[in-house]
Amino acid sequence: MNNPLTMLSSRHGSIFLFLALCVLTILFYNKQWLESQNEQIPVFMAAPVKPAQVKSSLPTHQQPSKEAVELDFLKNVTAWPSTPPLPLNFSWNDTSDPRHSTVTILPKRGGGQWHAGNELEVVIKMYNFHGKPKTSGGDFLLARLHSPSLLAGVAGKVVDHLNGSYSALFPLLWEGKVQVQVILVHSSEAVTVLQQLNRMQPHRIYFQSLFRSASLTETTTCNVYINASQQQVCNYTDLHTGEQWFCYKPKKLSCDARVTHAKGGFRKNITHQEEMLFQSGVNMKVSIPPSTHPNISVHPREDQTRGIGDIVRTEPSGYYYHGAWRPLDGTKVHQFNSSTAVSQCLRGKGLHLFGDSTIRQWFEYFIASFPDLKNFDLHSSEQAGPLMALDYPNNILVTYRCHGPPIRFANIPVTQLRYIANELDHIDGGPNTVVVIGVWSHFSSFPVDVYIRRLQNIRKAVVRLLSRAPRTLVVIRTANPKALTVYETLTNSDWYSIQGDKLLRAVFKGLDVHLVDAWDMVLAHHLPHNLHPQPPIIKNMIDVLLSYICPPPTDQTRVNH
């Protein structure tokens, strides 16, 4: 059979060849254009792609990866009720006003007296500054039940009904007079602004690095994201963990000349109207007055055969009674009130603290409270560390090291910038090793993807550590509420912290680790909220930590929280 091409006329053959040459030419120039564009791909990522967008771009036969599914799940953990969009010329008088809002204690179901073991419910109704009821949800509320005379307190569970009303639920855990406190942390309108900031201005906190070679120095801006081409930046992405970090390239020095890392500054880029949503004592961190008498009397339990753990339904992690923290997971917390008691517990052990300043606070508490531990001068920064304390007679070692970027400390040598996951991979572990991790505060101004990636890397390292040394004790410190100024709110609001706290608990759920629930321990306490909780709260946290290290033989302290 003849080749079909030979059957074409010469005219048709010429047209065929001409079209083929056109196609080849187009492909060639298209390739050249794509290559030129690839050279200018920016490092900056303005906002994470939504999971729904990722799924829609995949072929129908292709399943999302395990990592994508986990990321989607973790983002759903932080889901918040939708909040109203803000018109250009909105008035803050139309937003949530704690003084017009009300808190009402509901009667006991079935009537009668309140008893320990019952659950107390209050209804919260939100109104704006004109006294008109709110009709949508999304306000950020915190609640606690407390007895000042007994130094007792417990955090409540707030339920958003999405219509301007909320419920707060409290377990009644002790006898006597108790009172309810509900705090408006942020209006739903303020939450809208906080959400927009992390989406649109993830680089509002920026960092700097000093570059030096002999007498020549330069300083450039650094961040997780930088809006520049690859030729304009120094890429300091960690090869082991994949944690990203970039600095603008110095004009005269090489990227290898970088010597320090420091916080550079903060860009407050919000309107005056938006800033009015964050007024201390007006619409931020303000108690809502009760519409009925705030106190009720709690009588002894009706069923004396049931323990506290059998009657709690609202799931706080614990409560204070006479100023001491009592967990509700079955763990018994002992009071370590003397240096001798601490020395006996920690004898022969290495305690390694990793994280931010709220973990460094634990190191400082050990040094100040237990004179047998002597600070060993490593000639390092008191803020960033590394720090070390020794008790030679009892063979006790306590260390602290801050986590890697984005850490907002001043002038850390880059030789001391370490990622926790990498540090954990260099710990042998074993029954005499205790690791404490607290990473939360410095991630608040970034999209959640950054924090999720950090937690996932730490979790993988914890899994490796527990695989090679199963008897290693790993303790995770959660976030805690704090005092809020405008700066603190825009960079590190309690709303950001509670989102991160949910992520932290979800990432480490199911691992053989312990939690020190700083969130509930600060919220339930009578002392004011503070980024660095006051000494009585820290003392309770340390008692929980030491009780994990030195439990009675019958205690089952490992919990699958």
Side-chain angles (χ1 to χ4, degrees):
M1 182 179 292
N2 293 329
N3 190 312
L5 286 178
T6 63
M7 300 173 63
L8 292 173
S9 66
S10 59
R11 178 168 172 266
H12 290 159
S14 299
I15 294 173
F16 179 86
L17 291 173
F18 174 77
L19 291 174
L21 286 172
C22 288
V23 171
L24 290 173
T25 302
I26 291 170
L27 289 174
F28 174 80
Y29 282 107
N30 190 48
K31 179 175 182 291
Q32 293 293 102
W33 181 83
L34 285 173
E35 289 177 348
S36 68
Q37 294 300 305
N38 285 339
E39 292 176 356
Q40 302 299 320
I41 292 175
V43 175
F44 177 80
M45 300 190 321
V49 179
K50 295 181 180 179
Q53 292 174 316
V54 173
K55 291 179 180 179
S56 64
S57 64
L58 289 172
T60 54
H61 64 275
Q62 184 177 343
Q63 296 298 320
S65 66
K66 179 181 177 181
E67 291 76 14
V69 171
E70 182 178 18
L71 181 62
D72 193 15
F73 167 77
L74 290 173
K75 285 185 175 182
N76 287 334
V77 165
T78 65
W80 193 263
S82 38
T83 56
L86 299 180
L88 287 177
N89 295 315
F90 76 93
S91 169
W92 66 276
N93 286 310
D94 295 325
T95 67
S96 304
D97 176 15
R99 289 180 174 84
H100 275 101
S101 302
T102 62
V103 174
T104 304
I105 298 176
L106 296 182
K108 180 186 175 185
R109 293 179 182 178
Q113 296 178 325
W114 293 100
H115 294 268
N118 296 152
E119 184 176 71
L120 181 70
E121 182 177 0
V122 303
V123 172
I124 306 142
K125 293 191 176 180
M126 302 302 298
Y127 293 79
N128 65 21
F129 284 85
H130 297 297
K132 295 181 178 180
K134 297 284 294 287
T135 57
S136 60
D139 295 293
F140 180 24
L141 303 169
L142 294 177
R144 73 174 177 130
L145 189 73
H146 61 118
S147 296
S149 62
L150 295 173
L151 296 179
V154 66
K157 178 181 179 181
V158 176
V159 179
D160 189 342
H161 299 299
L162 308 179
N163 59 3
S165 68
Y166 303 77
S167 296
L169 306 172
F170 307 91
L172 299 180
L173 301 171
W174 61 87
E175 303 167 19
K177 290 190 178 299
V178 298
Q179 60 189 62
V180 172
Q181 182 185 31
V182 177
I183 299 171
L184 173 67
V185 182
H186 293 307
S187 66
S188 57
E189 294 82 5
V191 171
T192 296
V193 174
L194 295 176
Q195 289 174 323
Q196 291 174 346
L197 282 174
N198 273 18
R199 187 169 61 251
M200 306 302 294
Q201 301 178 41
H203 49 283
R204 62 191 180 277
I205 290 181
Y206 60 93
F207 303 81
Q208 291 180 330
S209 275
L210 175 69
F211 295 76
R212 179 188 294 125
S213 179
S215 61
L216 181 62
T217 62
E218 292 184 67
T219 299
T220 73
T221 299
C222 309
N223 222 318
V224 177
Y225 308 120
I226 286 187
N227 191 13
S229 67
Q230 295 178 5
Q231 288 75 24
Q232 295 173 299
V233 299
C234 296
N235 187 343
Y236 299 109
T237 299
D238 184 69
L239 296 178
H240 183 64
T241 62
E243 297 285 357
Q244 295 181 341
W245 194 254
F246 305 95
C247 297
Y248 281 105
K249 189 175 292 184
K251 295 180 180 179
K252 298 180 180 179
L253 297 175
S254 74
C255 293
D256 294 335
R258 178 173 174 245
V259 293
T260 66
H261 163 91
K263 178 189 171 185
F266 166 63
R267 302 180 182 94
K268 187 176 73 172
N269 188 17
I270 62 170
T271 67
H272 174 70
Q273 287 173 301
E274 290 172 337
E275 189 169 339
M276 295 292 286
L277 297 172
F278 305 105
Q279 300 179 70
S280 297
V282 177
N283 55 10
M284 180 172 72
K285 275 285 175 98
V286 180
S287 293
I288 299 175
S291 58
T292 56
H293 197 278
N295 296 334
I296 67 166
S297 295
V298 180
H299 298 273
R301 291 201 309 272
E302 294 176 289
D303 185 354
Q304 298 292 333
T305 64
R306 301 174 69 192
I308 291 292
D310 298 324
I311 59 180
V312 174
R313 291 183 297 276
T314 50
E315 299 180 354
S317 63
Y319 66 104
Y320 288 104
Y321 191 71
H322 292 313
W325 183 250
R326 296 185 176 187
L328 289 168
D329 64 357
T331 302
K332 292 182 180 178
V333 173
H334 305 282
Q335 304 299 304
F336 292 81
N337 297 323
S338 68
S339 185
T340 300
V342 175
S343 297
Q344 289 176 347
C345 178
L346 294 180
R347 182 176 289 123
K349 289 182 167 48
L351 174 59
H352 304 286
L353 310 174
F354 297 102
D356 54 34
S357 59
T358 63
I359 284 292
R360 187 189 67 232
Q361 189 181 13
W362 288 16
F363 182 92
E364 294 163 347
Y365 183 88
F366 273 113
I367 297 299
S369 303
F370 308 111
D372 293 341
L373 274 170
K374 307 295 183 183
N375 193 32
F376 189 87
D377 188 2
L378 296 175
H379 303 288
S380 58
S381 162
E382 292 183 0
Q383 184 184 44
L387 305 176
M388 177 185 294
L390 298 167
D391 178 348
Y392 280 104
N394 291 293
N395 192 28
I396 298 170
L397 169 67
V398 181
T399 68
Y400 163 77
R401 181 178 288 279
C402 71
H403 65 72
I407 190 81
R408 298 196 297 265
F409 291 164
N411 295 322
I412 306 173
V414 294
T415 56
Q416 297 299 336
L417 278 180
R418 312 285 181 81
Y419 290 102
I420 292 177
N422 292 340
E423 291 298 295
L424 294 179
D425 284 340
H426 290 92
I427 292 178
D428 291 334
N432 293 319
T433 301
V434 181
V435 171
V436 179
I437 300 167
V439 178
W440 61 280
S441 179
H442 296 244
F443 290 82
S444 294
S445 60
F446 297 97
V448 295
D449 301 62
V450 177
Y451 189 48
I452 289 173
R453 181 170 62 236
R454 185 62 54 89
L455 292 179
Q456 287 174 326
N457 278 322
I458 294 173
R459 180 187 62 188
K460 292 173 185 176
V462 168
V463 170
R464 291 191 293 268
L465 172 59
L466 294 177
S467 294
R468 66 177 177 270
R471 296 178 65 189
T472 307
L473 179 66
V474 178
V475 178
I476 311 292
R477 183 204 190 276
T478 74
N480 61 262
K482 65 189 75 63
L484 294 178
T485 61
V486 173
Y487 168 78
E488 276 291 334
T489 299
L490 300 183
T491 61
N492 198 17
S493 164
D494 284 355
W495 187 80
Y496 292 135
S497 298
I498 200 170
Q499 305 307 304
D501 197 58
K502 293 174 184 177
L503 286 171
L504 182 144
R505 295 169 192 263
V507 167
F508 287 97
K509 184 177 178 63
L511 288 190
D512 195 15
V513 301
H514 297 279
L515 289 184
V516 173
D517 196 332
W519 189 272
D520 273 13
M521 295 181 78
V522 170
L523 179 56
H525 205 276
H526 68 273
L527 287 171
H529 300 172
N530 198 308
L531 173 63
H532 301 110
Q534 295 187 40
I537 302 176
I538 296 299
K539 200 270 182 187
N540 275 284
M541 292 181 182
I542 297 299
D543 284 340
V544 172
L545 170 66
L546 295 174
S547 297
Y548 286 147
I549 298 171
C550 305
T554 57
D555 268 8
Q556 299 295 322
T557 60
R558 297 266 177 160
V559 294
N560 186 6
H561 52 273

